[in-house]
Amino acid sequence: MITTTALTKSYHDVPVVRDVSMRCEPGTITGFLGANGAGKSTTLKMIVGLARPDRGTATIDGRPFVELPNPTRVVGMLLDASAMHPGRTGRSTLTIAARMASVHPRRVEHLLDLVGLTDAADKRVGAYSLGMRQRLGIAQALVGDPAALILDEPANGLDPEGIAWMRTLLRDFADHGGTVLLSSHLLHEVQATVDHLVVISAGAVVAAGRLDDLLASSTILVRSPDPVALTAALRAARIDYVAGPGDAFTVDAADGWVTTEVVAGIARDHHVLLTELRQAEKNGLEQLFFSLTAADATSREVAA
C-alpha cells in the first residue's frame, strides 16, 4: 500500500535521505525509527508530496500522492498536531476536513466520539492540551475513512491511557486491512504496537523486517559439567562458540542452521551431558535501536 524506492534528498548539498526503500503492506503496522535528524520526517514528507525527492519514488496505492484524485480518501496523515487553526473549535476543524474530503458531516460526530473529544468539541483548539490536539489530529487523519495512515510521533503528549487507546485504535485499523506507517521515539510503545520495523540512521535504512525477526536472538546458551568434551563436540561440528565463564558456552546461531535441536543432537552423538540448553532471551527494541544507530550518534557528537 505504501512503497518507497531509493528515495534520496539533500539540502544545500548535505545528504538528508539516502536511497530509502520500504514497503508497508495492508493489514500491518510499520514502525519507522531513527534518531533526531536521521531523515524520518523528510522521508514522510516525500511520501505525501510535501517535499520533492532528488531521486527515487514514493507511491500510495500504486500512485504518487500528487496523483491521487482525493488523497484523504486513500491516506490519512498526522505530521504536526500543532498545525491547526487555534481559533477554530474541534468540531469545526473536523467539519471543514469532512467537506474537503466529500464526506457526510455525520462522520464528524462519530470521530469526535471515537477519539474521546465529544465533550471538548466546541472548545477552541488553542485551548486544547497537546494530547487533545493529537487526538484531534488522529480524527482528522481518519476523516476520509482512508485505507492507510501515516503518523509522525502520534503518541506525543498522550498520557498512558491515551497511548493504550491509540495502540488499540491502530491495531483495529490494521486488523481491518488498513496500512499504518508511524514514527515514534517511544521505543517500548513501538515494540508493543508494530508488526514491522524500518530503522534509519544518517539518512539510510540500516534494518528492515518483521519485528519478531529483528529482535530474535541469534545466540544459544549451553552448559555441561564436562566443558572439555563439549568443546571437542562443538569443534568437530564446526560450530562457532565462546566458552566461559565456568561451564557455560555461548553458541552463534546467526547462520540459521544451528538450532537448539542441532546442538542437542551433537551432544547426544558425542555422549556429552548437557545441564542447560536454550535460546538466549530476545533483544529489546531499545538495545537493537542503539546498536543500529550508534554510528549516527557518534557522528553527531563529532560534528558538535
Side-chain angles (χ1 to χ4, degrees):
M1 188 64 183
I2 301 172
T3 305
T4 72
T5 304
L7 277 184
T8 300
K9 181 70 174 178
S10 296
Y11 290 109
H12 307 295
D13 297 325
V14 177
V16 177
V17 175
R18 299 179 294 150
D19 295 316
V20 169
S21 298
M22 71 174 86
R23 184 177 178 87
C24 307
E25 300 285 355
T28 64
I29 303 174
T30 299
F32 189 35
L33 302 184
N36 288 334
K40 302 188 305 300
S41 294
T42 300
T43 300
L44 297 181
K45 288 177 181 178
M46 285 191 284
I47 293 174
V48 299
L50 295 178
R52 180 176 296 177
D54 299 332
R55 188 175 69 252
T57 60
T59 60
I60 302 172
D61 197 23
R63 299 185 186 186
F65 181 87
V66 295
E67 294 182 10
L68 297 173
N70 190 343
T72 53
R73 302 301 294 269
V74 179
V75 56
M77 52 186 164
L78 172 61
L79 301 184
D80 183 359
S82 65
M84 299 179 188
H85 197 298
R88 292 186 182 132
T89 65
R91 178 176 278 109
S92 64
T93 297
L94 290 182
T95 299
I96 292 171
R99 288 174 179 170
M100 293 178 65
S102 299
V103 173
H104 197 284
R106 65 171 170 263
R107 181 159 175 78
V108 170
E109 300 307 317
H110 165 70
L111 290 172
L112 287 169
D113 180 63
L114 179 68
V115 302
L117 288 178
T118 299
D119 292 341
D122 295 318
K123 292 182 179 179
R124 296 184 186 275
V125 173
Y128 279 13
S129 66
L130 177 56
M132 293 170 69
R133 289 197 298 273
Q134 290 288 90
R135 287 173 178 265
L136 183 61
I138 291 172
Q140 198 167 12
L142 291 168
V143 75
D145 195 17
L149 290 174
I150 297 176
L151 311 172
D152 194 2
E153 300 290 349
N156 189 25
L158 293 178
D159 59 18
E161 180 183 359
I163 291 174
W165 161 80
M166 186 192 68
R167 185 196 312 141
T168 301
L169 176 73
L170 297 182
R171 185 72 270 163
D172 183 68
F173 182 84
D175 288 345
H176 284 81
T179 306
V180 181
L181 173 61
L182 66 89
S183 75
S184 177
H185 286 114
L186 301 178
L187 299 183
H188 292 294
E189 184 55 33
V190 169
Q191 186 168 346
T193 304
V194 309
D195 311 298
H196 291 75
L197 198 64
V198 177
V199 183
I200 188 173
S201 178
V205 174
V206 292
R210 286 189 53 84
L211 179 66
D212 287 345
D213 293 340
L214 291 174
L215 296 183
S217 172
S218 61
T219 301
I220 295 172
L221 301 180
V222 190
R223 288 182 183 271
S224 171
D226 190 350
V228 174
L230 181 56
T231 296
L234 294 175
R235 284 179 177 172
R238 297 183 178 181
I239 292 178
D240 293 330
Y241 68 91
V242 176
D247 60 355
F249 286 73
T250 301
V251 174
D252 184 2
D255 290 341
W257 72 274
V258 180
T259 64
T260 53
E261 290 80 6
V262 168
V263 174
I266 292 169
R268 179 199 62 216
D269 294 343
H270 289 79
H271 307 288
V272 179
L273 174 65
L274 300 182
T275 55
E276 183 176 12
L277 175 61
R278 62 182 175 86
Q279 197 82 24
E281 293 182 2
K282 288 184 176 183
N283 298 317
L285 180 55
E286 184 175 275
Q287 179 184 350
L288 174 68
F289 176 79
F290 287 134
S291 67
L292 291 170
T293 61
D296 195 8
T298 301
S299 65
R300 290 197 307 274
E301 289 176 3
V302 171

